[in-house]
Amino acid sequence: MNKLQVSMRGQNVIASPIRKFLPLMRAAEERGTRVYKLNVGDPDLVPPPKFFETIKKYNPASLGYAPSPGIKAHTEAWIKYYRQFGVDLAAADIIPTVGCAEAIMLALQAVADIGDEVLVFEPLYTSYKSFSVMTGIKLVPVLLPIENNFALPDAKIIEKKITKKTKAIVVINPDNPTGKLWSDKELSTIIKIAKKHNLFIISDETYREIRFDSKKPVCLLSHKDAPQNVVVCDSVSKRFSMPGARIGCVVSCNKAIMQSILKFAQARLSAGTLEQLGLVPLLQHSKRYTDQITREYHRRRDVVAQGLSKIPAVFKPAQGAFYQAVGLPVDDAEEFVKFMIGKFTYKGATVMVTPMRDFYISQGKGKNEIRIAYVLNTKDLKQAMDVLARGVEEYNR
Ligand SMILES: Cc1ncc(COP(=O)(O)O)c(C=O)c1O
């Protein structure tokens, strides 16, 4: 007889490494400890008020489904938004999604089947690991060591990982969790490999504008050699500080890919109607807001780097997104985080960061690494970095 049991997928999928310390954190707060939370990439910045103003004005008789390919005004606003990065899109090239998370799921399922392989670079934004279990697509990691500041290895090393089953390469630019910006040379290498082996590139550009090198943000679709191979996964979550809106999009000039994604999208009906409407003016005039938050994250990046310079830590200041990956002088970052939340306080406060072990697919990597998400104002961040430095000293005593 059949047993009533959870699927293998359900059993194998990992819990969010970011959220697994929450019970310890709550206990610390109940003890009266102030916890500086640098663990979740949930922006603290005020989103553009235009979003709420627009939604308030909308007063329909009923709240219907949006069309699966997106509300016309919303997709047109994305098209205008992309033009500033040299990307000219037709309406059929873009479908709004429920955050970048859904865009990635749709893209993965359009480029690969169960048992196929997708190359990723580790450390890796952990949701990809869950998506791999959910879709039955195998992730094949290429290691980017922290000691090399996450630089891309030689093309030959990447090509060695390609098999008959490989269908795509994932690039996250700017990257979570490393804060890496991909150089033009690195992107060209990936495009060359993709073209040579007929692979898709899933380009996760959630943090596109948040880069600290004063260069123009890049969309891989603008690369002259790339378009047919590229599927961009995008989001408003970080760009407009509104992950709660749950809006992103999937974009490709490859018609066959977009036709498949549209059929998937029809099955899940649509992204939110109100949120699509509220985002129209933001997408039409994004630069002022994104310039402003990039300056703020840049200041925070400098505060974090300054704080870390007091610890014998392995790191180079992040180049983009709002994360700093750090090799700490501790034996085990998970134990260190438990110590910080469970026991340690300095001036009544402690710090919550994310251990990076779960950001790796290969066993045994990242044992002493943490990720800092700088989602606090510079004053609190400075204090948090002091607490972190004291915590490292105390942990090693
Ligand atoms: C690299 C990356 N991709 C995708 C996502 C998911 O974004 P969304 O909130 O749009 O689903 C995140 C969220 O942190 C991310 O860091």
Side-chain angles (χ1 to χ4, degrees), residues 51 54-56 58-68 70-75 96-98 245-247 268-281:
F51 176 77
T54 309
I55 288 178
K56 269 189 203 137
Y58 184 63
N59 188 20
S62 65
L63 186 58
Y65 288 116
S68 301
I71 293 175
K72 191 161 175 270
H74 178 77
T75 42
T97 53
V98 181
R246 305 308 305 130
I247 294 287
R268 67 58 154 134
L269 302 173
S270 60
T273 300
L274 289 180
E275 290 81 359
Q276 288 192 53
L277 292 172
L279 277 157
V280 170

PDB file of all heavy atoms in Angstrom, residues 51 54-56 58-68 70-75 96-98 245-247 268-281:
ATOM      1  N   PHE A  51       4.749  55.060  -5.885  1.00  0.00           N
ATOM      2  CA  PHE A  51       4.140  53.728  -5.967  1.00  0.00           C
ATOM      3  C   PHE A  51       2.797  53.718  -5.231  1.00  0.00           C
ATOM      4  O   PHE A  51       1.766  53.329  -5.775  1.00  0.00           O
ATOM      5  CB  PHE A  51       5.108  52.704  -5.348  1.00  0.00           C
ATOM      6  CG  PHE A  51       4.566  51.300  -5.283  1.00  0.00           C
ATOM      7  CD1 PHE A  51       4.531  50.509  -6.426  1.00  0.00           C
ATOM      8  CD2 PHE A  51       4.102  50.763  -4.088  1.00  0.00           C
ATOM      9  CE1 PHE A  51       4.035  49.208  -6.368  1.00  0.00           C
ATOM     10  CE2 PHE A  51       3.599  49.468  -4.029  1.00  0.00           C
ATOM     11  CZ  PHE A  51       3.571  48.688  -5.177  1.00  0.00           C
ATOM     12  N   THR A  54       0.084  56.067  -6.730  1.00  0.00           N
ATOM     13  CA  THR A  54      -0.547  55.524  -7.942  1.00  0.00           C
ATOM     14  C   THR A  54      -1.606  54.484  -7.571  1.00  0.00           C
ATOM     15  O   THR A  54      -2.709  54.477  -8.118  1.00  0.00           O
ATOM     16  CB  THR A  54       0.527  54.884  -8.862  1.00  0.00           C
ATOM     17  OG1 THR A  54       1.560  55.833  -9.042  1.00  0.00           O
ATOM     18  CG2 THR A  54      -0.042  54.489 -10.211  1.00  0.00           C
ATOM     19  N   ILE A  55      -1.255  53.622  -6.647  1.00  0.00           N
ATOM     20  CA  ILE A  55      -2.212  52.566  -6.269  1.00  0.00           C
ATOM     21  C   ILE A  55      -3.457  53.174  -5.620  1.00  0.00           C
ATOM     22  O   ILE A  55      -4.580  52.731  -5.872  1.00  0.00           O
ATOM     23  CB  ILE A  55      -1.533  51.541  -5.328  1.00  0.00           C
ATOM     24  CG1 ILE A  55      -0.537  50.711  -6.142  1.00  0.00           C
ATOM     25  CG2 ILE A  55      -2.563  50.618  -4.681  1.00  0.00           C
ATOM     26  CD1 ILE A  55       0.237  49.715  -5.336  1.00  0.00           C
ATOM     27  N   LYS A  56      -3.240  54.212  -4.806  1.00  0.00           N
ATOM     28  CA  LYS A  56      -4.385  54.847  -4.114  1.00  0.00           C
ATOM     29  C   LYS A  56      -5.409  55.400  -5.111  1.00  0.00           C
ATOM     30  O   LYS A  56      -6.595  55.399  -4.850  1.00  0.00           O
ATOM     31  CB  LYS A  56      -3.882  55.971  -3.204  1.00  0.00           C
ATOM     32  CG  LYS A  56      -3.598  55.479  -1.802  1.00  0.00           C
ATOM     33  CD  LYS A  56      -3.325  56.624  -0.863  1.00  0.00           C
ATOM     34  CE  LYS A  56      -2.518  56.092   0.305  1.00  0.00           C
ATOM     35  NZ  LYS A  56      -1.433  56.969   0.700  1.00  0.00           N
ATOM     36  N   TYR A  58      -6.205  54.178  -7.896  1.00  0.00           N
ATOM     37  CA  TYR A  58      -6.838  53.102  -8.672  1.00  0.00           C
ATOM     38  C   TYR A  58      -8.055  52.589  -7.908  1.00  0.00           C
ATOM     39  O   TYR A  58      -7.935  52.140  -6.767  1.00  0.00           O
ATOM     40  CB  TYR A  58      -5.802  51.994  -8.875  1.00  0.00           C
ATOM     41  CG  TYR A  58      -6.261  50.844  -9.727  1.00  0.00           C
ATOM     42  CD1 TYR A  58      -6.604  51.031 -11.058  1.00  0.00           C
ATOM     43  CD2 TYR A  58      -6.324  49.556  -9.198  1.00  0.00           C
ATOM     44  CE1 TYR A  58      -7.012  49.962 -11.841  1.00  0.00           C
ATOM     45  CE2 TYR A  58      -6.733  48.482  -9.976  1.00  0.00           C
ATOM     46  CZ  TYR A  58      -7.068  48.687 -11.290  1.00  0.00           C
ATOM     47  OH  TYR A  58      -7.475  47.634 -12.070  1.00  0.00           O
ATOM     48  N   ASN A  59      -9.220  52.688  -8.522  1.00  0.00           N
ATOM     49  CA  ASN A  59     -10.430  52.333  -7.781  1.00  0.00           C
ATOM     50  C   ASN A  59     -11.410  51.560  -8.675  1.00  0.00           C
ATOM     51  O   ASN A  59     -12.485  52.039  -9.007  1.00  0.00           O
ATOM     52  CB  ASN A  59     -11.069  53.644  -7.251  1.00  0.00           C
ATOM     53  CG  ASN A  59     -12.204  53.359  -6.308  1.00  0.00           C
ATOM     54  OD1 ASN A  59     -12.291  52.266  -5.752  1.00  0.00           O
ATOM     55  ND2 ASN A  59     -13.099  54.330  -6.145  1.00  0.00           N
ATOM     56  N   PRO A  60     -11.017  50.342  -9.063  1.00  0.00           N
ATOM     57  CA  PRO A  60     -11.846  49.612 -10.021  1.00  0.00           C
ATOM     58  C   PRO A  60     -13.052  48.949  -9.334  1.00  0.00           C
ATOM     59  O   PRO A  60     -13.057  48.800  -8.108  1.00  0.00           O
ATOM     60  CB  PRO A  60     -10.894  48.539 -10.541  1.00  0.00           C
ATOM     61  CG  PRO A  60     -10.009  48.272  -9.370  1.00  0.00           C
ATOM     62  CD  PRO A  60      -9.882  49.540  -8.586  1.00  0.00           C
ATOM     63  N   ALA A  61     -14.035  48.540 -10.140  1.00  0.00           N
ATOM     64  CA  ALA A  61     -15.213  47.867  -9.580  1.00  0.00           C
ATOM     65  C   ALA A  61     -14.838  46.489  -9.050  1.00  0.00           C
ATOM     66  O   ALA A  61     -15.409  45.998  -8.084  1.00  0.00           O
ATOM     67  CB  ALA A  61     -16.274  47.752 -10.666  1.00  0.00           C
ATOM     68  N   SER A  62     -13.870  45.855  -9.699  1.00  0.00           N
ATOM     69  CA  SER A  62     -13.404  44.554  -9.196  1.00  0.00           C
ATOM     70  C   SER A  62     -11.908  44.446  -9.454  1.00  0.00           C
ATOM     71  O   SER A  62     -11.374  45.166 -10.306  1.00  0.00           O
ATOM     72  CB  SER A  62     -14.137  43.430  -9.927  1.00  0.00           C
ATOM     73  OG  SER A  62     -13.776  43.465 -11.287  1.00  0.00           O
ATOM     74  N   LEU A  63     -11.270  43.565  -8.703  1.00  0.00           N
ATOM     75  CA  LEU A  63      -9.817  43.420  -8.865  1.00  0.00           C
ATOM     76  C   LEU A  63      -9.548  42.125  -9.622  1.00  0.00           C
ATOM     77  O   LEU A  63      -9.466  41.043  -9.043  1.00  0.00           O
ATOM     78  CB  LEU A  63      -9.145  43.413  -7.483  1.00  0.00           C
ATOM     79  CG  LEU A  63      -7.624  43.414  -7.458  1.00  0.00           C
ATOM     80  CD1 LEU A  63      -7.052  44.610  -8.200  1.00  0.00           C
ATOM     81  CD2 LEU A  63      -7.110  43.400  -6.027  1.00  0.00           C
ATOM     82  N   GLY A  64      -9.418  42.247 -10.946  1.00  0.00           N
ATOM     83  CA  GLY A  64      -9.288  41.049 -11.782  1.00  0.00           C
ATOM     84  C   GLY A  64      -7.845  40.588 -11.911  1.00  0.00           C
ATOM     85  O   GLY A  64      -6.915  41.237 -11.427  1.00  0.00           O
ATOM     86  N   TYR A  65      -7.684  39.418 -12.575  1.00  0.00           N
ATOM     87  CA  TYR A  65      -6.352  38.958 -12.940  1.00  0.00           C
ATOM     88  C   TYR A  65      -5.743  39.960 -13.905  1.00  0.00           C
ATOM     89  O   TYR A  65      -6.447  40.528 -14.751  1.00  0.00           O
ATOM     90  CB  TYR A  65      -6.430  37.636 -13.706  1.00  0.00           C
ATOM     91  CG  TYR A  65      -6.802  36.431 -12.885  1.00  0.00           C
ATOM     92  CD1 TYR A  65      -7.996  35.741 -13.136  1.00  0.00           C
ATOM     93  CD2 TYR A  65      -5.957  35.948 -11.899  1.00  0.00           C
ATOM     94  CE1 TYR A  65      -8.324  34.607 -12.416  1.00  0.00           C
ATOM     95  CE2 TYR A  65      -6.286  34.815 -11.164  1.00  0.00           C
ATOM     96  CZ  TYR A  65      -7.471  34.146 -11.432  1.00  0.00           C
ATOM     97  OH  TYR A  65      -7.787  33.037 -10.722  1.00  0.00           O
ATOM     98  N   ALA A  66      -4.438  40.111 -13.830  1.00  0.00           N
ATOM     99  CA  ALA A  66      -3.736  40.831 -14.900  1.00  0.00           C
ATOM    100  C   ALA A  66      -3.544  39.838 -16.045  1.00  0.00           C
ATOM    101  O   ALA A  66      -3.573  38.628 -15.814  1.00  0.00           O
ATOM    102  CB  ALA A  66      -2.394  41.318 -14.384  1.00  0.00           C
ATOM    103  N   PRO A  67      -3.346  40.307 -17.273  1.00  0.00           N
ATOM    104  CA  PRO A  67      -3.038  39.356 -18.348  1.00  0.00           C
ATOM    105  C   PRO A  67      -1.714  38.635 -18.048  1.00  0.00           C
ATOM    106  O   PRO A  67      -0.805  39.237 -17.461  1.00  0.00           O
ATOM    107  CB  PRO A  67      -2.876  40.256 -19.583  1.00  0.00           C
ATOM    108  CG  PRO A  67      -3.364  41.611 -19.183  1.00  0.00           C
ATOM    109  CD  PRO A  67      -3.334  41.706 -17.701  1.00  0.00           C
ATOM    110  N   SER A  68      -1.609  37.383 -18.484  1.00  0.00           N
ATOM    111  CA  SER A  68      -0.360  36.623 -18.214  1.00  0.00           C
ATOM    112  C   SER A  68       0.883  37.311 -18.784  1.00  0.00           C
ATOM    113  O   SER A  68       1.939  37.304 -18.138  1.00  0.00           O
ATOM    114  CB  SER A  68      -0.471  35.201 -18.765  1.00  0.00           C
ATOM    115  OG  SER A  68      -1.560  34.553 -18.161  1.00  0.00           O
ATOM    116  N   GLY A  70       1.434  40.329 -18.879  1.00  0.00           N
ATOM    117  CA  GLY A  70       1.623  41.598 -18.171  1.00  0.00           C
ATOM    118  C   GLY A  70       0.629  42.656 -18.586  1.00  0.00           C
ATOM    119  O   GLY A  70       0.088  42.613 -19.704  1.00  0.00           O
ATOM    120  N   ILE A  71       0.376  43.607 -17.677  1.00  0.00           N
ATOM    121  CA  ILE A  71      -0.485  44.755 -18.009  1.00  0.00           C
ATOM    122  C   ILE A  71       0.293  45.627 -19.000  1.00  0.00           C
ATOM    123  O   ILE A  71       1.493  45.894 -18.792  1.00  0.00           O
ATOM    124  CB  ILE A  71      -0.821  45.538 -16.725  1.00  0.00           C
ATOM    125  CG1 ILE A  71      -1.699  44.666 -15.823  1.00  0.00           C
ATOM    126  CG2 ILE A  71      -1.497  46.874 -17.035  1.00  0.00           C
ATOM    127  CD1 ILE A  71      -2.006  45.260 -14.473  1.00  0.00           C
ATOM    128  N   LYS A  72      -0.409  46.073 -20.062  1.00  0.00           N
ATOM    129  CA  LYS A  72       0.290  46.757 -21.170  1.00  0.00           C
ATOM    130  C   LYS A  72       1.143  47.936 -20.659  1.00  0.00           C
ATOM    131  O   LYS A  72       2.331  48.052 -20.991  1.00  0.00           O
ATOM    132  CB  LYS A  72      -0.757  47.226 -22.187  1.00  0.00           C
ATOM    133  CG  LYS A  72      -0.170  47.692 -23.483  1.00  0.00           C
ATOM    134  CD  LYS A  72      -1.247  47.699 -24.582  1.00  0.00           C
ATOM    135  CE  LYS A  72      -0.719  48.265 -25.864  1.00  0.00           C
ATOM    136  NZ  LYS A  72      -0.875  49.703 -25.996  1.00  0.00           N
ATOM    137  N   ALA A  73       0.529  48.795 -19.832  1.00  0.00           N
ATOM    138  CA  ALA A  73       1.267  49.984 -19.364  1.00  0.00           C
ATOM    139  C   ALA A  73       2.510  49.570 -18.568  1.00  0.00           C
ATOM    140  O   ALA A  73       3.545  50.250 -18.589  1.00  0.00           O
ATOM    141  CB  ALA A  73       0.348  50.844 -18.492  1.00  0.00           C
ATOM    142  N   HIS A  74       2.418  48.446 -17.866  1.00  0.00           N
ATOM    143  CA  HIS A  74       3.543  47.973 -17.049  1.00  0.00           C
ATOM    144  C   HIS A  74       4.675  47.444 -17.931  1.00  0.00           C
ATOM    145  O   HIS A  74       5.845  47.821 -17.742  1.00  0.00           O
ATOM    146  CB  HIS A  74       3.044  46.884 -16.085  1.00  0.00           C
ATOM    147  CG  HIS A  74       4.121  46.305 -15.228  1.00  0.00           C
ATOM    148  ND1 HIS A  74       4.621  46.976 -14.130  1.00  0.00           N
ATOM    149  CD2 HIS A  74       4.799  45.137 -15.309  1.00  0.00           C
ATOM    150  CE1 HIS A  74       5.568  46.232 -13.581  1.00  0.00           C
ATOM    151  NE2 HIS A  74       5.693  45.113 -14.271  1.00  0.00           N
ATOM    152  N   THR A  75       4.341  46.605 -18.904  1.00  0.00           N
ATOM    153  CA  THR A  75       5.416  46.085 -19.766  1.00  0.00           C
ATOM    154  C   THR A  75       6.023  47.226 -20.600  1.00  0.00           C
ATOM    155  O   THR A  75       7.233  47.257 -20.820  1.00  0.00           O
ATOM    156  CB  THR A  75       4.941  44.935 -20.698  1.00  0.00           C
ATOM    157  OG1 THR A  75       3.675  45.272 -21.227  1.00  0.00           O
ATOM    158  CG2 THR A  75       4.821  43.632 -19.975  1.00  0.00           C
ATOM    159  N   PRO A  96       6.235  40.073 -16.976  1.00  0.00           N
ATOM    160  CA  PRO A  96       6.362  40.367 -15.548  1.00  0.00           C
ATOM    161  C   PRO A  96       6.113  39.102 -14.723  1.00  0.00           C
ATOM    162  O   PRO A  96       5.300  38.259 -15.101  1.00  0.00           O
ATOM    163  CB  PRO A  96       5.252  41.386 -15.284  1.00  0.00           C
ATOM    164  CG  PRO A  96       4.738  41.807 -16.598  1.00  0.00           C
ATOM    165  CD  PRO A  96       5.097  40.759 -17.593  1.00  0.00           C
ATOM    166  N   THR A  97       6.841  39.010 -13.632  1.00  0.00           N
ATOM    167  CA  THR A  97       6.782  37.800 -12.791  1.00  0.00           C
ATOM    168  C   THR A  97       6.586  38.182 -11.330  1.00  0.00           C
ATOM    169  O   THR A  97       6.675  39.358 -10.968  1.00  0.00           O
ATOM    170  CB  THR A  97       8.115  37.026 -12.911  1.00  0.00           C
ATOM    171  OG1 THR A  97       9.189  37.938 -12.624  1.00  0.00           O
ATOM    172  CG2 THR A  97       8.289  36.444 -14.304  1.00  0.00           C
ATOM    173  N   VAL A  98       6.366  37.167 -10.527  1.00  0.00           N
ATOM    174  CA  VAL A  98       6.265  37.383  -9.079  1.00  0.00           C
ATOM    175  C   VAL A  98       7.696  37.404  -8.528  1.00  0.00           C
ATOM    176  O   VAL A  98       8.232  36.396  -8.077  1.00  0.00           O
ATOM    177  CB  VAL A  98       5.406  36.275  -8.425  1.00  0.00           C
ATOM    178  CG1 VAL A  98       5.272  36.520  -6.925  1.00  0.00           C
ATOM    179  CG2 VAL A  98       4.030  36.224  -9.077  1.00  0.00           C
ATOM    180  N   ALA A 245       6.630  44.106  -2.941  1.00  0.00           N
ATOM    181  CA  ALA A 245       5.772  44.268  -4.130  1.00  0.00           C
ATOM    182  C   ALA A 245       5.710  42.969  -4.933  1.00  0.00           C
ATOM    183  O   ALA A 245       4.766  42.740  -5.677  1.00  0.00           O
ATOM    184  CB  ALA A 245       6.286  45.404  -5.019  1.00  0.00           C
ATOM    185  N   ARG A 246       6.729  42.129  -4.775  1.00  0.00           N
ATOM    186  CA  ARG A 246       6.821  40.842  -5.476  1.00  0.00           C
ATOM    187  C   ARG A 246       6.664  40.999  -6.984  1.00  0.00           C
ATOM    188  O   ARG A 246       5.834  40.325  -7.606  1.00  0.00           O
ATOM    189  CB  ARG A 246       5.800  39.811  -4.923  1.00  0.00           C
ATOM    190  CG  ARG A 246       5.843  39.546  -3.451  1.00  0.00           C
ATOM    191  CD  ARG A 246       7.232  39.192  -2.912  1.00  0.00           C
ATOM    192  NE  ARG A 246       7.866  38.078  -3.573  1.00  0.00           N
ATOM    193  CZ  ARG A 246       9.118  38.138  -4.049  1.00  0.00           C
ATOM    194  NH1 ARG A 246       9.868  39.234  -3.931  1.00  0.00           N
ATOM    195  NH2 ARG A 246       9.644  37.093  -4.635  1.00  0.00           N
ATOM    196  N   ILE A 247       7.416  41.889  -7.558  1.00  0.00           N
ATOM    197  CA  ILE A 247       7.398  42.029  -9.017  1.00  0.00           C
ATOM    198  C   ILE A 247       8.818  41.933  -9.574  1.00  0.00           C
ATOM    199  O   ILE A 247       9.762  42.515  -9.026  1.00  0.00           O
ATOM    200  CB  ILE A 247       6.764  43.378  -9.448  1.00  0.00           C
ATOM    201  CG1 ILE A 247       5.279  43.442  -9.075  1.00  0.00           C
ATOM    202  CG2 ILE A 247       6.942  43.595 -10.959  1.00  0.00           C
ATOM    203  CD1 ILE A 247       4.330  42.603  -9.906  1.00  0.00           C
ATOM    204  N   ARG A 268       0.353  29.840 -14.380  1.00  0.00           N
ATOM    205  CA  ARG A 268       0.345  30.446 -13.045  1.00  0.00           C
ATOM    206  C   ARG A 268      -0.438  31.771 -13.058  1.00  0.00           C
ATOM    207  O   ARG A 268      -0.405  32.529 -12.094  1.00  0.00           O
ATOM    208  CB  ARG A 268       1.754  30.554 -12.455  1.00  0.00           C
ATOM    209  CG  ARG A 268       2.745  31.500 -13.119  1.00  0.00           C
ATOM    210  CD  ARG A 268       2.261  32.895 -13.158  1.00  0.00           C
ATOM    211  NE  ARG A 268       3.250  33.921 -13.212  1.00  0.00           N
ATOM    212  CZ  ARG A 268       3.198  34.940 -14.039  1.00  0.00           C
ATOM    213  NH1 ARG A 268       2.249  35.045 -14.941  1.00  0.00           N
ATOM    214  NH2 ARG A 268       4.094  35.897 -13.981  1.00  0.00           N
ATOM    215  N   LEU A 269      -1.127  32.048 -14.148  1.00  0.00           N
ATOM    216  CA  LEU A 269      -2.031  33.185 -14.337  1.00  0.00           C
ATOM    217  C   LEU A 269      -1.305  34.518 -14.472  1.00  0.00           C
ATOM    218  O   LEU A 269      -1.052  34.957 -15.574  1.00  0.00           O
ATOM    219  CB  LEU A 269      -3.111  33.207 -13.259  1.00  0.00           C
ATOM    220  CG  LEU A 269      -3.955  31.902 -13.235  1.00  0.00           C
ATOM    221  CD1 LEU A 269      -4.902  31.885 -12.058  1.00  0.00           C
ATOM    222  CD2 LEU A 269      -4.709  31.699 -14.533  1.00  0.00           C
ATOM    223  N   SER A 270      -0.932  35.168 -13.364  1.00  0.00           N
ATOM    224  CA  SER A 270      -0.347  36.502 -13.560  1.00  0.00           C
ATOM    225  C   SER A 270       0.381  36.989 -12.314  1.00  0.00           C
ATOM    226  O   SER A 270       0.189  36.442 -11.231  1.00  0.00           O
ATOM    227  CB  SER A 270      -1.452  37.508 -13.898  1.00  0.00           C
ATOM    228  OG  SER A 270      -2.379  37.554 -12.837  1.00  0.00           O
ATOM    229  N   ALA A 271       1.170  38.037 -12.514  1.00  0.00           N
ATOM    230  CA  ALA A 271       1.736  38.758 -11.365  1.00  0.00           C
ATOM    231  C   ALA A 271       0.665  39.749 -10.876  1.00  0.00           C
ATOM    232  O   ALA A 271      -0.319  40.002 -11.574  1.00  0.00           O
ATOM    233  CB  ALA A 271       3.005  39.481 -11.786  1.00  0.00           C
ATOM    234  N   GLY A 272       0.865  40.315  -9.696  1.00  0.00           N
ATOM    235  CA  GLY A 272      -0.146  41.163  -9.055  1.00  0.00           C
ATOM    236  C   GLY A 272      -0.559  42.373  -9.900  1.00  0.00           C
ATOM    237  O   GLY A 272       0.288  43.035 -10.506  1.00  0.00           O
ATOM    238  N   THR A 273      -1.855  42.638  -9.943  1.00  0.00           N
ATOM    239  CA  THR A 273      -2.383  43.754 -10.742  1.00  0.00           C
ATOM    240  C   THR A 273      -1.982  45.104 -10.135  1.00  0.00           C
ATOM    241  O   THR A 273      -1.427  45.978 -10.819  1.00  0.00           O
ATOM    242  CB  THR A 273      -3.931  43.646 -10.794  1.00  0.00           C
ATOM    243  OG1 THR A 273      -4.262  42.401 -11.406  1.00  0.00           O
ATOM    244  CG2 THR A 273      -4.551  44.787 -11.564  1.00  0.00           C
ATOM    245  N   LEU A 274      -2.261  45.286  -8.848  1.00  0.00           N
ATOM    246  CA  LEU A 274      -1.997  46.588  -8.213  1.00  0.00           C
ATOM    247  C   LEU A 274      -0.522  46.948  -8.285  1.00  0.00           C
ATOM    248  O   LEU A 274      -0.156  48.092  -8.575  1.00  0.00           O
ATOM    249  CB  LEU A 274      -2.420  46.538  -6.741  1.00  0.00           C
ATOM    250  CG  LEU A 274      -3.915  46.487  -6.456  1.00  0.00           C
ATOM    251  CD1 LEU A 274      -4.164  46.439  -4.962  1.00  0.00           C
ATOM    252  CD2 LEU A 274      -4.596  47.714  -7.053  1.00  0.00           C
ATOM    253  N   GLU A 275       0.307  45.943  -8.003  1.00  0.00           N
ATOM    254  CA  GLU A 275       1.744  46.215  -7.974  1.00  0.00           C
ATOM    255  C   GLU A 275       2.264  46.586  -9.366  1.00  0.00           C
ATOM    256  O   GLU A 275       3.099  47.477  -9.510  1.00  0.00           O
ATOM    257  CB  GLU A 275       2.505  45.003  -7.429  1.00  0.00           C
ATOM    258  CG  GLU A 275       2.292  44.752  -5.949  1.00  0.00           C
ATOM    259  CD  GLU A 275       0.995  44.022  -5.628  1.00  0.00           C
ATOM    260  OE1 GLU A 275       0.232  43.716  -6.570  1.00  0.00           O
ATOM    261  OE2 GLU A 275       0.751  43.775  -4.434  1.00  0.00           O
ATOM    262  N   GLN A 276       1.761  45.901 -10.384  1.00  0.00           N
ATOM    263  CA  GLN A 276       2.192  46.256 -11.754  1.00  0.00           C
ATOM    264  C   GLN A 276       1.828  47.707 -12.053  1.00  0.00           C
ATOM    265  O   GLN A 276       2.627  48.461 -12.609  1.00  0.00           O
ATOM    266  CB  GLN A 276       1.533  45.340 -12.778  1.00  0.00           C
ATOM    267  CG  GLN A 276       2.073  43.922 -12.775  1.00  0.00           C
ATOM    268  CD  GLN A 276       1.594  43.139 -13.984  1.00  0.00           C
ATOM    269  OE1 GLN A 276       1.741  43.555 -15.122  1.00  0.00           O
ATOM    270  NE2 GLN A 276       1.032  41.962 -13.742  1.00  0.00           N
ATOM    271  N   LEU A 277       0.614  48.105 -11.672  1.00  0.00           N
ATOM    272  CA  LEU A 277       0.187  49.484 -11.957  1.00  0.00           C
ATOM    273  C   LEU A 277       1.010  50.492 -11.163  1.00  0.00           C
ATOM    274  O   LEU A 277       1.467  51.509 -11.690  1.00  0.00           O
ATOM    275  CB  LEU A 277      -1.302  49.634 -11.623  1.00  0.00           C
ATOM    276  CG  LEU A 277      -2.244  48.859 -12.554  1.00  0.00           C
ATOM    277  CD1 LEU A 277      -3.668  48.899 -12.036  1.00  0.00           C
ATOM    278  CD2 LEU A 277      -2.171  49.425 -13.977  1.00  0.00           C
ATOM    279  N   GLY A 278       1.214  50.205  -9.890  1.00  0.00           N
ATOM    280  CA  GLY A 278       1.960  51.131  -9.024  1.00  0.00           C
ATOM    281  C   GLY A 278       3.387  51.355  -9.496  1.00  0.00           C
ATOM    282  O   GLY A 278       3.986  52.399  -9.256  1.00  0.00           O
ATOM    283  N   LEU A 279       3.929  50.352 -10.193  1.00  0.00           N
ATOM    284  CA  LEU A 279       5.333  50.445 -10.608  1.00  0.00           C
ATOM    285  C   LEU A 279       5.551  51.234 -11.891  1.00  0.00           C
ATOM    286  O   LEU A 279       6.686  51.589 -12.209  1.00  0.00           O
ATOM    287  CB  LEU A 279       5.909  49.031 -10.765  1.00  0.00           C
ATOM    288  CG  LEU A 279       6.366  48.448  -9.435  1.00  0.00           C
ATOM    289  CD1 LEU A 279       6.398  46.932  -9.489  1.00  0.00           C
ATOM    290  CD2 LEU A 279       7.743  48.997  -9.064  1.00  0.00           C
ATOM    291  N   VAL A 280       4.486  51.516 -12.621  1.00  0.00           N
ATOM    292  CA  VAL A 280       4.658  52.177 -13.930  1.00  0.00           C
ATOM    293  C   VAL A 280       5.491  53.464 -13.811  1.00  0.00           C
ATOM    294  O   VAL A 280       6.532  53.591 -14.484  1.00  0.00           O
ATOM    295  CB  VAL A 280       3.288  52.427 -14.610  1.00  0.00           C
ATOM    296  CG1 VAL A 280       3.429  53.322 -15.832  1.00  0.00           C
ATOM    297  CG2 VAL A 280       2.642  51.090 -14.998  1.00  0.00           C
ATOM    298  N   PRO A 281       5.115  54.430 -12.949  1.00  0.00           N
ATOM    299  CA  PRO A 281       5.909  55.668 -12.912  1.00  0.00           C
ATOM    300  C   PRO A 281       7.333  55.437 -12.396  1.00  0.00           C
ATOM    301  O   PRO A 281       8.256  56.168 -12.772  1.00  0.00           O
ATOM    302  CB  PRO A 281       5.128  56.575 -11.957  1.00  0.00           C
ATOM    303  CG  PRO A 281       4.221  55.675 -11.198  1.00  0.00           C
ATOM    304  CD  PRO A 281       3.950  54.485 -12.056  1.00  0.00           C
TER     305      PRO A 281
END
